[in-house]
Amino acid sequence: SLLLALSLLSPWGSAGGSCPPRCVCASNLLSCSQANLSAVPAPLPRFTAVLDLSHNNVTRLRADWAPARLPHLHALLLSHNGLAFVSTEAFTHVPRLRHLDLSSNRLRTLDENLFSDLGELEVLLLYNNEISTVDRTAFENLGRLRKLYLGQNRIARFPLELLREGTRLPQLALLDLSANRLRAVPAGELQALPAWLRDRLYLHNNPLVCDCLLFQLLDRGRRRHLSAVEDFQDELRCSLPGASTLTKILDLAGKQPLNCSKAREAVLEAHLGDTVTLGCDSRWQGVRSRHWVTPGGERVLGDGGNGSVVLLTNGSLQLRALRPEDGGTYSCWVAGPLLNETLYVELLVHNFTLHGPHDTLNTAYTTLVGCILSVVLVLIYLYLTPCRCCCCRGAEKPPAPRDDSINSSVLSTTPNHAGGTGEPCGSHIASSAGAGQNGRFKGGGTPPLPTRQGPKAQRKVSDPDSVSSVFSDTPIVV
């Protein structure tokens, strides 16, 4: 009866939820790895969240592999299957998928709108396939994709459309294109990408052709400690004209026949609405030509012009009425008599004006307020202290009693102004109780106190010599 009850409580014991043959089921996990399957087992329970079909012989993934909707499935593992075909409707019934592993298969093409039904996909693994053709719409509608692994394939064209801001993959943070057949990359447009994206752009183990722009792109990444460059310096190689062996790209500085120069860069800060001038101070004399490239990859030509971006006659770039989108890395390409040079200027545009409402609490104002508060606290301490009489200097101060006596309160050492006698505080204390030896009060000689009414009747008071006792019962008026 106990086993029957457990089977009824378990999802696999319910109707339509039996575990497929040759699979292992645990809670909402279904593992059919290394089960020698040639097709996806059916039927699949609706509550399946993780489905592992790796290391099998599923060579084709048709549209009917999941005839019913699987609303809870968020991870599908199909690596090491010899998979050569995936239907464009294969993912219609798994819209909540976040992790898809199609690595180590025999895929050759990524067809049109292949993954368009996976609007919540975050990680897509396609490495170690035979992919040579990628349709421009294959990754359409993947607005949440963060990691895309395309390494160890046969891709010969760099898919720049995947990286441009505001295009198909707005949240992409990692793109692995290593070990493909890329011979050239758009270095100028890649330089304009945010640093966090360039840090996860892997290009090693590609048959790249040596180029100074490529060298400067990677050299700048090395100086900025980008992991995609630092971790694979030995694998980042290129071929020189007429050379039979590959050369490390980061060793091209000053090396013939290209004789590439290292990139120079500067950082400039500005505020909204400002006008700034980006200098292109090249060290070469007799410059033949120069031009600027904006962070968006647009080339600025001409000797001058009107508008927010102006190219000055001395080669500097002037930006007027700065906007937040004007920030980024600007590149100045200089063609010299011996070799080319690249200068980078990173412009940081603060999202407030220099004298705007966000700058009211500046450092000077905060310092002034702090000084005023300090003076007020000093005046409170000096002029609101109850017993500040010089005539008390010769009087002996009574020791604090051990019990909770109201004589330890500030009220007991404060002259009674209601009587109008004007006696100094020393005589007032002496007349309040009998003195012991050497004029000191006897412990326990505290006179009886009248009954007090109000919320402070049972209040304990601290030692009269402490600062806290001064402020405990004395009202403060500012």
Side-chain angles (χ1 to χ4, degrees), residues 414-477:
T414 306
N416 186 1
H417 298 287
T421 59
E423 292 182 353
C425 55
S427 59
H428 176 75
I429 296 175
S431 61
S432 62
Q437 293 181 355
N438 298 327
R440 297 184 181 271
F441 291 102
K442 296 180 180 180
T446 305
L449 299 174
T451 304
R452 297 182 60 188
Q453 301 295 330
K456 291 187 178 181
Q458 303 298 326
R459 185 171 181 176
K460 294 183 180 181
V461 186
S462 58
D463 181 50
D465 292 335
S466 67
V467 177
S468 60
S469 66
V470 175
F471 291 92
S472 60
D473 291 313
T474 304
I476 298 175
V477 180

Side-chain angles (χ1 to χ4, degrees), residues 81-393:
N81 267 280
L83 191 65
F85 171 79
V86 177
S87 171
T88 55
E89 299 178 355
F91 306 107
T92 304
H93 292 155
V94 287
R96 308 296 297 273
L97 207 62
R98 299 196 304 269
H99 183 101
L100 177 59
D101 186 359
L102 297 174
S103 63
S104 300
N105 283 293
R106 296 179 181 175
L107 297 176
R108 295 185 177 182
T109 62
L110 299 181
D111 296 328
E112 179 181 1
N113 296 316
L114 180 59
F115 305 106
S116 60
D117 292 325
L118 302 177
E120 298 187 12
L121 192 65
E122 297 179 2
V123 180
L124 178 56
L125 288 78
L126 291 165
Y127 64 87
N128 194 24
N129 275 277
E130 301 174 4
I131 300 172
S132 60
T133 304
V134 180
D135 190 271
R136 291 180 177 271
T137 63
F139 304 103
E140 200 75 50
N141 199 34
L142 298 186
R144 296 188 181 181
L145 189 65
R146 296 184 297 106
K147 299 179 180 181
L148 176 57
Y149 295 87
L150 288 168
Q152 300 183 45
N153 279 285
R154 301 175 181 178
I155 300 174
R157 185 190 68 86
F158 187 90
L160 184 62
E161 64 275 2
L162 301 181
L163 298 177
R164 284 176 176 154
E165 186 176 359
T167 55
R168 293 175 177 81
L169 306 178
Q171 297 189 22
L172 187 64
L174 184 150
L175 177 59
D176 181 12
L177 292 170
S178 62
N180 274 280
R181 298 182 178 180
L182 298 176
R183 294 186 57 82
V185 296
E189 298 192 55
L190 295 182
Q191 186 62 68
L193 295 176
W196 55 267
L197 182 51
R198 282 184 283 118
D199 190 27
R200 295 293 184 269
L201 176 59
Y202 297 94
L203 298 171
H204 55 278
N205 288 331
N206 274 285
L208 297 169
V209 176
C210 294
D211 181 77
C212 286
L213 297 183
L214 176 63
F215 160 74
Q216 290 162 355
L217 171 69
L218 299 179
D219 181 58
R220 192 163 180 258
R222 176 177 58 180
R223 286 189 282 123
R224 291 199 170 196
H225 304 290
L226 301 185
S227 59
V229 178
E230 277 199 330
D231 298 343
F232 299 96
Q233 295 187 42
D234 294 336
E235 290 81 10
L236 285 167
R237 295 175 175 269
C238 63
S239 59
L240 287 167
S244 57
T245 59
L246 297 178
T247 303
K248 291 184 181 179
I249 300 177
L250 294 175
D251 292 343
L252 292 178
K255 187 175 183 179
Q256 297 296 334
L258 297 180
N259 196 20
C260 297
S261 63
K262 293 188 176 181
R264 297 165 55 195
E265 61 181 332
V267 178
L268 182 63
E269 298 187 31
H271 302 80
L272 290 180
D274 288 353
T275 298
V276 297
T277 301
L278 311 182
C280 187
D281 186 15
S282 175
R283 58 180 176 174
W284 302 116
Q285 301 295 327
V287 174
R288 295 194 301 267
S289 63
R290 76 178 88 203
H291 67 269
W292 285 87
V293 177
T294 66
E298 300 178 0
R299 185 170 176 175
V300 182
L301 300 173
D303 297 331
N306 298 321
S308 60
V309 180
V310 179
L311 184 61
L312 304 180
T313 55
N314 62 355
S316 300
L317 188 68
Q318 188 178 80
L319 305 175
R320 301 171 181 172
L322 287 179
R323 302 165 299 173
E325 55 267 26
D326 291 332
T329 302
Y330 291 79
S331 307
C332 179
W333 309 98
V334 181
L338 299 178
L339 52 82
N340 299 332
E341 186 177 24
T342 307
L343 294 90
Y344 297 101
V345 179
E346 184 175 357
L347 178 61
L348 305 178
V349 180
H350 298 291
N351 198 18
F352 57 88
T353 58
L354 186 58
H355 303 289
H358 298 277
D359 200 36
T360 53
L361 289 179
N362 52 30
T363 306
Y365 182 78
T366 306
T367 305
L368 178 61
V369 172
C371 293
I372 294 175
L373 291 177
S374 300
V375 172
V376 170
L377 292 177
V378 171
L379 293 176
I380 289 174
Y381 180 76
L382 292 177
Y383 292 100
L384 292 184
T385 304
C387 185
R388 57 179 192 279
C389 48
C390 59
C391 58
C392 301
R393 293 179 180 175

